[in-house]
Amino acid sequence: MSNHKVESKSGLVTRRQVVTGLAVAGVASTLPSSRLFAADLNVDKFLKVSALLTGIALDKSYIQLGNTIWEQVTRDASPSVLGQWTDMINRLAYLPSGASSDDIKNTLRSVGPIATPMAMQLTKVWYTGRIERTPGVFEVINYDEALVWQACDFTKPPVTCGGPFGYWAKPYLKGAV
Amino acid sequence: MANSSPKSNTGDINADIVIVGAGLFGGLMAWYLRTHLPNKSVVLIDSGPVVDRVEAVKRFKESPEKGGNSAYKTVPWAPIPPEDDPAAYYDQKDHDSKNPLEQIGFGALYMRTVGGTSWHFTGHAERMYPNDFRMQSAYGRGLDWPISYKTLEPYFAQVEEAWGVAGNNSCVAPTPHPYPLPVVPLTYLDHQVNKAAEALNDSLGPLPHCRNSVPYDGRPQCCGNASCRFICPVGAKYDGSVHVEKAQGLGAVLYANSVVEKINVGADKKVASLQFKNYTDPAHPVTGTATAKLFILAAHAIEIPRLLLMSKGKNTPKGVANSSDQVGRNLMSMVGINSSGYVPEPVYPFRGPVNATGVFRELRDGAFRKDYASIGTIVINGGFNPTNGPLNEADDAVDDNLFGTELRARVFNKTASQVYLDNSVEMLPNSENRITLSDEIEGETGLPRPKIDIRIDDYTLDGTYVSWKRTQDILVQMKAIFNGVPIATPTRAAFDDLVAKQGVQAGAAMIAGTTRMGTDPKTSVVNEWCQSHDHDNLFIAGTGCYVTAGSVSPSLTAAAIGLRASEYIATNFKKITG
């Protein structure tokens, strides 16, 4: 990760700290309205495809987060690239829920060369709640709702109460704390 | 909500006792002195801000790195070594050296906030071992302290009561003794590692913790937020702000955001005053003078020697408290090379108090210390990365072109099978390991940055090898793999290759020795009461007083030494101050 030192009025800070500060401020600000779903794509379809890619069911309680993620992954997309995003979602939506990784990859290949990287980015953002704008520089979208905490349901997002005191001494049991 | 209310911008300060540093030791000493000298005014001065826990948790969540310092606001007038690049603050030549006998990277971290570094310390509340105080007598290594474990025993107990230390006689500790709170149990992961340890004639036991196993002192019970190495969102883990606030409740006055720049010493060799700059209004910092009858420096083992060395004057040509030329010397930390791997069955890290609940019993103390250094090996409950570890596994799995249920299963299995073993190895005092003043000036304050020069000797390097061998052996026993291949049986040749490739780094947890304690004013900075040999109204608290360091978490012993010094001050205040 790049970590160039930057001299500022306030003394020595790392480049990453500067970038991070700006990035978080950017996420907190009002999101652009130009990336609403296109006419032939809606949030339900987006959630269905997101569930397919991530292997985790996403009900309507994810509408808000789904909108935010769509806005973030397409923030800098040109109209042409936005069209490819829409095309990818629409094509994947034909797959049955629970489709295998290979079925998903085959469909992505049939959409076009940038469909796979787009799907990978979307899946990462859902799983991690963060987006990598440039290599090694991340912005946080929503840490607590990152799907990794559902995938790893033996734990919880840090700074979240994990359970009654001492729960950690017991073996993890599916469905228990 | 702010958890304490410091005084606002001000000019001069006058008090009976001025304490520089409102952290783990300064706060505790202020509380003790206000309790036992209720007619004496006490002022705490800290260079950093008061930490707002709610804001800190928010900042932590918004931080992509989620490192040790991520939850805390770093202010330009109180710079600290960044976790990802300590050399951005420390001026250290050859910090990336691959020859540890010539130089090691110094990565020890600290914070400059009210409450200090304890906001993100591990919460391991260990006593040092009796032989840690008598290394020369016991093992012919290092030096003996002027005080013993026995001397400190009642003060250890007082600190354990004040902090609320949880433990029992199954804890890995030098002596059996009562603890105020019930033990913090080992994790499931600890138990799995213990099986491997027992097969290798070792074992794990619980650490004593200053995190509440039951509600205590107005703070709640720990509920395993898995973030205590970074910030405890509920205050179940003790931190230095607790006793800063208690001291304030007893009438001590706190001045935050106030950087002490110089100590002035009179012709009578007594400290007369401190010069400081208050940055409450950063655009218009106010210069002030703090006068007092007695001064205590409790601002950590880097910033204290830095301040003492910056304070050259007519009556202190080598700096304050430095007639011996020992200020800044004998810098000690702990070093280590850690071990990590994926084991075949899930062991479920990331549950409970991260950092660690379990520690290896062997190699803390024993005859082996004639030959190589003491070793503390703990099981990190937070896998390879306690906060972003699961996220990184997800990124890796997607990069491997997995989607859907296969992706989910991969993320679960890899995250659940991470084992990370952390080694901390003792360093002995060496007068050439030191902090001095850099020629480089820190931007906002115009003060010199700390310059670091540090290396290890064969004693510590051999200990580092033994510690690495032990943790690699454990992973071999657990049939762990890393980078897709089984962990190899460790050899000295493999260790030497590893060191040649990556060097050895000083870890985050220990900074000690830079204002060391002793009976001889020619070879030490303070006496057994933490009182400067040169200036009898100046006391220096904290790990800087350490003569040797051992391998246990340093805070509890330094707090016990600080309480003992406080008792001495309270008993002898009139005699000391005339």
Side-chain angles (χ1 to χ4, degrees):
Chain A
M1 247 178 266
S2 76
N3 192 22
H4 307 296
K5 295 176 192 67
V6 178
E7 282 283 0
S8 75
K9 188 187 169 197
S10 57
L12 275 175
V13 292
T14 64
R15 174 171 170 71
R16 195 163 63 167
Q17 285 169 324
V18 172
V19 173
T20 298
L22 293 173
V24 170
V27 171
S29 64
T30 308
L31 292 160
S33 58
S34 58
R35 290 293 176 249
L36 296 176
F37 290 106
D40 58 344
L41 179 62
N42 59 42
V43 71
D44 288 340
K45 194 185 282 184
F46 180 70
L47 289 181
K48 182 194 169 188
V49 168
S50 296
L52 190 75
L53 290 170
T54 61
I56 293 173
L58 300 170
D59 63 20
K60 283 187 186 294
S61 67
Y62 284 93
I63 284 176
Q64 214 51 44
L65 182 58
N67 264 302
T68 301
I69 288 176
W70 173 253
E71 287 163 347
Q72 288 295 315
V73 296
T74 61
R75 192 185 73 179
D76 302 321
S78 65
S80 155
V81 172
L82 188 61
Q84 292 179 73
W85 270 103
T86 304
D87 193 25
M88 177 194 77
I89 301 292
N90 282 327
R91 295 279 289 278
L92 285 173
Y94 285 110
L95 287 173
S97 63
S100 72
S101 195
D102 284 344
D103 288 342
I104 294 168
K105 283 184 276 191
N106 288 336
T107 302
L108 289 169
R109 273 193 287 272
S110 72
V111 176
I114 72 165
T116 298
M118 286 192 302
M120 289 170 74
Q121 185 195 21
L122 178 59
T123 307
K124 284 184 177 183
V125 171
W126 271 110
Y127 256 88
T128 64
R130 66 189 182 189
I131 186 164
E132 190 173 18
R133 292 287 181 206
T134 57
V137 178
F138 294 89
E139 294 173 15
V140 174
I141 295 172
N142 192 317
Y143 187 63
D144 287 348
E145 289 197 77
L147 295 186
V148 75
W149 308 120
Q150 286 200 45
C152 299
D153 55 1
F154 56 88
T155 184
K156 297 227 169 85
V159 299
T160 305
C161 184
F165 177 79
Y167 75 86
W168 51 84
K170 300 171 190 164
Y172 163 73
L173 295 171
K174 184 82 182 164
V177 172
Chain B
M1 273 185 299
N3 57 3
S4 57
S5 302
K7 292 282 278 189
S8 60
N9 216 2
T10 187
D12 296 342
I13 294 169
N14 182 258
D16 292 310
I17 300 167
V18 166
I19 302 174
V20 180
L24 200 63
F25 314 123
L28 193 65
M29 293 178 80
W31 165 76
Y32 185 95
L33 291 168
R34 280 301 300 165
T35 303
H36 293 85
L37 290 175
N39 297 323
K40 303 298 175 195
S41 55
V42 175
V43 159
L44 284 155
I45 301 178
D46 201 281
S47 59
V50 171
V51 175
D52 180 322
R53 196 181 297 272
V54 174
E55 284 297 316
V57 169
K58 185 166 174 276
R59 201 176 290 116
F60 177 78
K61 286 190 176 186
E62 288 175 348
S63 159
E65 286 84 11
K66 293 184 174 57
N69 294 336
S70 296
Y72 308 97
K73 189 176 172 184
T74 304
V75 291
W77 52 89
I80 54 171
E83 191 168 16
D84 57 355
D85 187 11
Y89 182 58
Y90 296 133
D91 173 10
Q92 187 186 12
K93 196 178 163 194
D94 300 329
H95 61 87
D96 54 357
S97 165
K98 304 296 183 284
N99 183 349
L101 302 179
E102 290 182 354
Q103 196 73 196
I104 57 170
F106 189 69
L109 303 179
Y110 58 96
M111 293 218 307
R112 298 171 73 183
T113 59
V114 173
T117 313
S118 62
W119 275 96
H120 67 48
F121 77 163
T122 60
H124 299 156
E126 301 175 89
R127 298 179 177 193
M128 283 174 72
Y129 284 70
N131 285 331
D132 288 336
F133 298 91
R134 50 187 298 276
M135 283 294 291
Q136 182 57 229
S137 300
Y139 303 122
R141 297 283 187 171
L143 295 169
D144 288 351
W145 292 49
I147 54 176
S148 67
Y149 180 90
K150 198 80 184 160
T151 310
L152 282 183
E153 213 162 20
Y155 303 97
F156 280 136
Q158 285 179 48
V159 177
E160 286 165 351
E161 190 75 22
W163 288 7
V165 174
N168 64 17
N169 284 338
S170 72
C171 282
V172 179
T175 55
H177 60 273
Y179 293 84
L181 276 64
V183 71
V184 174
L186 295 177
T187 60
Y188 177 76
L189 164 65
D190 290 327
H191 288 294
Q192 306 318 301
V193 176
N194 185 52
K195 287 178 192 169
E198 287 183 340
L200 298 171
N201 298 316
D202 204 330
S203 65
L204 267 72
L207 283 153
H209 294 251
C210 57
R211 53 176 52 79
N212 283 356
S213 54
V214 292
Y216 184 77
D217 197 24
R219 294 181 289 118
Q221 186 183 39
C222 170
C223 63
N225 289 276
S227 64
C228 37
R229 164 69 178 75
F230 308 90
I231 183 164
C232 176
V234 297
K237 184 184 77 172
Y238 178 84
D239 63 67
S241 71
V242 171
H243 277 87
V244 172
E245 290 180 22
K246 284 179 187 283
Q248 287 181 277
L250 293 171
V253 179
L254 169 67
Y255 292 85
N257 297 307
S258 298
V259 180
V260 177
E261 299 181 336
K262 191 175 181 194
I263 302 168
N264 297 311
V265 173
D268 60 357
K269 290 192 170 183
K270 283 187 181 292
V271 172
S273 63
L274 311 173
Q275 283 172 229
F276 70 93
K277 204 174 274 179
N278 186 317
Y279 288 85
T280 302
D281 177 359
H284 305 96
V286 176
T287 300
T289 301
T291 52
K293 292 174 184 162
L294 188 144
F295 296 84
I296 299 170
L297 304 183
H300 219 291
I302 296 293
E303 295 301 326
I304 291 174
R306 179 174 176 244
L307 173 61
L308 293 169
L309 294 171
M310 287 192 303
S311 299
K312 287 181 183 165
K314 194 174 78 177
N315 300 315
T316 52
K318 290 197 284 188
V320 169
N322 196 28
S323 64
S324 62
D325 191 32
Q326 291 300 306
V327 167
R329 293 187 184 271
N330 303 300
L331 172 62
M332 291 175 284
S333 185
M334 291 192 275
V335 301
I337 296 179
N338 303 329
S339 295
S340 52
Y342 297 98
V343 293
E345 295 296 323
V347 288
Y348 304 115
F350 304 99
R351 299 171 85 225
V354 294
N355 207 266
T357 42
V359 59
F360 282 69
R361 289 190 186 279
E362 303 299 324
L363 303 180
R364 301 309 291 268
D365 186 38
F368 69 88
R369 291 176 85 179
K370 289 178 181 167
D371 301 318
Y372 58 86
S374 169
I375 297 163
T377 300
I378 56 177
V379 182
I380 299 294
N381 285 328
F384 305 163
N385 178 325
T387 50
N388 283 337
L391 283 62
N392 296 339
E393 289 293 358
D395 277 349
D396 287 349
V398 175
D399 284 338
D400 284 347
N401 226 357
L402 290 176
F403 292 105
T405 51
E406 289 157 72
L407 168 65
R408 179 177 184 160
R410 156 78 176 264
V411 174
F412 178 97
N413 289 330
K414 294 276 271 188
T415 306
S417 63
Q418 291 184 4
V419 176
Y420 191 89
L421 305 172
D422 178 286
N423 289 311
S424 294
V425 181
E426 163 185 37
M427 286 177 67
L428 294 174
N430 172 351
S431 64
E432 296 308 307
N433 290 342
R434 62 192 299 202
I435 167 212
T436 52
L437 300 179
S438 170
D439 293 333
E440 292 184 33
I441 299 300
E442 192 284 313
E444 180 77 13
T445 61
L447 302 174
R449 289 164 58 192
K451 185 175 181 180
I452 302 292
D453 186 12
I454 189 168
R455 75 281 296 150
I456 59 173
D457 55 14
D458 283 322
Y459 180 78
T460 297
L461 186 62
D462 288 348
T464 307
Y465 165 63
V466 173
S467 69
W468 176 79
K469 181 179 185 315
R470 171 164 72 176
T471 49
Q472 294 292 107
D473 279 335
I474 292 287
L475 291 176
V476 170
Q477 181 69 25
M478 295 181 82
K479 299 184 170 45
I481 61 168
F482 198 71
N483 287 335
V485 296
I487 303 279
T489 301
T491 63
R492 182 71 195 225
F495 172 79
D496 291 340
D497 282 349
L498 190 62
V499 170
K501 278 183 199 144
Q502 67 179 48
V504 173
Q505 281 77 42
M510 163 88 82
I511 309 175
T514 52
T515 53
R516 79 173 172 195
M517 179 185 283
T519 52
D520 184 353
K522 289 180 184 158
T523 58
S524 59
V525 178
V526 296
N527 66 19
E528 65 169 293
W529 311 105
C530 301
Q531 183 179 30
S532 161
H533 290 305
D534 295 352
H535 319 290
D536 63 5
N537 69 334
L538 177 66
F539 289 75
I540 303 174
T543 51
C545 300
Y546 280 21
V547 180
T548 54
S551 68
V552 306
S553 300
S555 302
L556 188 96
T557 299
I561 292 168
L563 271 191
R564 183 169 180 267
S566 302
E567 184 184 79
Y568 179 81
I569 292 168
T571 308
N572 298 283
F573 186 81
K574 199 176 249 182
K575 190 173 123 193
I576 296 165
T577 60

